Amino acid sequence: MSAGTVVQTPDGSPVTLGEIGQRVLLVNPRVRVWDVALAPGESQPWHLHHNPYVVLCLETSPCRMDWLDGSPPRFLSERVGGVVYRPVSPVHMLTNHGDAHYRNRIVELLDLGEEASGVPDPTLPPAEPTTDGLDPELVFADDDVRVWGVEVAPGARHEWRAGNLPVVVVGLTDPDRDGVHYLAPGGRHVLAADGPTPHSFRLVELAYLGSGPS
């Protein structure tokens, strides 16, 4: 991570980089998951990503991304449950320009950045997740990650068993209660909606680990 590093703007002014989120919710040698929460008008300070990362939107508001190198800003309008995958990028700042609260989860893929060794890990024989009667929707897929969407009916509980790929489970409806969980290949986690409302989840599979020898 680069928080605390001093960099320079194009005019030579010094800037001290901050963290990419407010809280680390989960970390292991493969992933680091952050909570990012911005009130209207609030900014996440200048920061730099050393790892490819997945953004999962929990609460939406119009946002603006500014670049330290002076490039034109990018205006963002995400939807709740939406998925964005980004490679490493130049130093930037995210500001909530709307009237609502903005919140996301950032899942950093450390194998493809800070922890990269250049040697693929051995993989298990191909196996799909076991979904215990659920009907998951594939909401994003590329060579690095696949993201599944699941909605659990009020009062229901379903077990998700990972296949041959690790999975990061992120709760969207009640993120502080449902939390973030990491499943190793074959690992299990119960997706529950114990209250009167349905609960939505996103399950991020580390698809790049399926590219090694079987």
Side-chain angles (χ1 to χ4, degrees), residues 7 13 35 82 100 109 134 162 193:
V7 298
S13 302
D35 178 50
L109 306 181
L134 291 167

Side-chain angles (χ1 to χ4, degrees), residues 38-43 95-100:
L38 299 175
E42 188 177 8
S43 296
T95 301
N96 181 351
H97 274 258
D99 298 325

Side-chain angles (χ1 to χ4, degrees), residues 12-92:
S13 302
V15 170
T16 301
L17 299 183
E19 301 285 11
I20 67 174
Q22 284 86 38
R23 293 186 297 150
V24 174
L25 303 176
L26 182 153
V27 63
N28 61 37
R30 296 215 182 281
V31 298
R32 185 187 297 118
V33 183
W34 294 86
D35 178 50
V36 177
L38 299 175
E42 188 177 8
S43 296
Q44 191 65 20
W46 295 112
H47 60 275
L48 177 65
H49 294 267
H50 289 288
N51 307 289
Y53 59 102
V54 179
V55 181
L56 304 173
C57 182
L58 306 182
E59 299 177 59
T60 188
S61 183
C63 289
R64 169 175 167 156
M65 188 176 289
D66 290 288
W67 308 93
L68 191 66
D69 64 6
S71 298
R74 178 185 299 163
F75 295 91
L76 309 177
S77 182
E78 301 176 22
R79 63 178 179 85
V80 174
V83 178
V84 177
Y85 179 54
R86 299 192 190 281
V88 293
S89 56
V91 176
H92 58 274

Side-chain angles (χ1 to χ4, degrees), residues 19 57 69 87 108 128 140 144 148 155 170 173 176 201 209 211:
E19 301 285 11
C57 182
D69 64 6
E108 294 186 89
E128 292 300 313
F140 179 86
D144 291 337
W148 299 92
V170 177
T173 305
D176 295 315
F201 298 85
L209 290 173
S211 61

Side-chain angles (χ1 to χ4, degrees), residues 118-139:
V119 179
D121 286 358
T123 59
L124 297 174
E128 292 300 313
T130 302
T131 58
D132 184 28
L134 291 167
D135 185 21
E137 175 190 6
L138 185 62
V139 296

